[in-house]
Amino acid sequence: MIHAKTTKASDTKNWKKFCDAKYKNSGQPKDKCTVGFPYPHSDMGIGLNPKKPPVGETENGMNLNCYSSDRVTNIWIPRVKKGLDILSRNNRITVEDFSMIMSKSL
C-alpha cells in the first residue's frame, strides 16, 4: 500500500471514534477517519466502484477504507527488500546490483 500524502498528528485525533464502523453507520459524516484500514486481499478486484466501496470492518470493528496494490506487494516491496539487504551487507549498491534488483526476476 502506498500513501501519497502526509497525515499530521492533529488529523488523527479521535481516530478510534471516527474510524469505528458504529460511528460510520450512525449517520455521522463519513470522511473523518484519517487512518487507513485496508480491505482484505480477497475482497479486492477489478471493477470496484470507489464511490461506492464494499462495506466491511476489521476484527476490532474499524471501518475498512483503503485498498492495497498487487504491484506494490508483489513487485516493489521485494525489490526494496533486496536492495536494503544488499546495502546492509555491502554498504553500497553497484550497477550490477541495481540491474538485478530492477529486473523482473529476483
Side-chain angles (χ1 to χ4, degrees):
M1 181 179 314
I2 296 177
H3 288 257
K5 66 179 186 175
T6 300
T7 302
K8 298 179 292 191
S10 61
D11 291 341
T12 61
K13 182 180 178 185
N14 296 321
W15 71 269
K16 286 185 180 182
K17 172 185 172 184
F18 295 136
C19 297
D20 191 296
K22 292 181 188 107
Y23 178 84
K24 179 183 176 186
N25 296 328
S26 69
Q28 298 294 327
K30 313 248 187 291
D31 60 354
K32 288 193 171 195
C33 179
T34 56
V35 177
F37 295 96
Y39 289 95
H41 184 73
S42 60
D43 291 344
M44 298 299 300
I46 296 171
L48 286 178
N49 181 350
K51 293 181 180 176
K52 190 175 181 181
V55 177
E57 60 187 69
T58 67
E59 291 176 2
N60 298 325
M62 296 296 144
N63 186 50
L64 301 175
N65 59 2
C66 62
Y67 304 94
S68 58
S69 166
D70 285 341
R71 288 182 58 89
V72 171
T73 301
N74 298 325
I75 297 172
W76 291 106
I77 290 176
R79 288 180 182 177
V80 169
K81 285 181 177 179
K82 185 67 173 175
L84 291 172
D85 181 52
I86 292 170
L87 273 174
S88 69
R89 285 185 280 126
N90 302 340
N91 213 18
R92 66 187 180 99
I93 293 182
T94 65
V95 172
E96 293 80 15
D97 292 333
F98 184 77
S99 295
M100 187 268 303
I101 292 167
M102 298 306 293
S103 73
K104 291 185 178 179
S105 60
L106 287 176

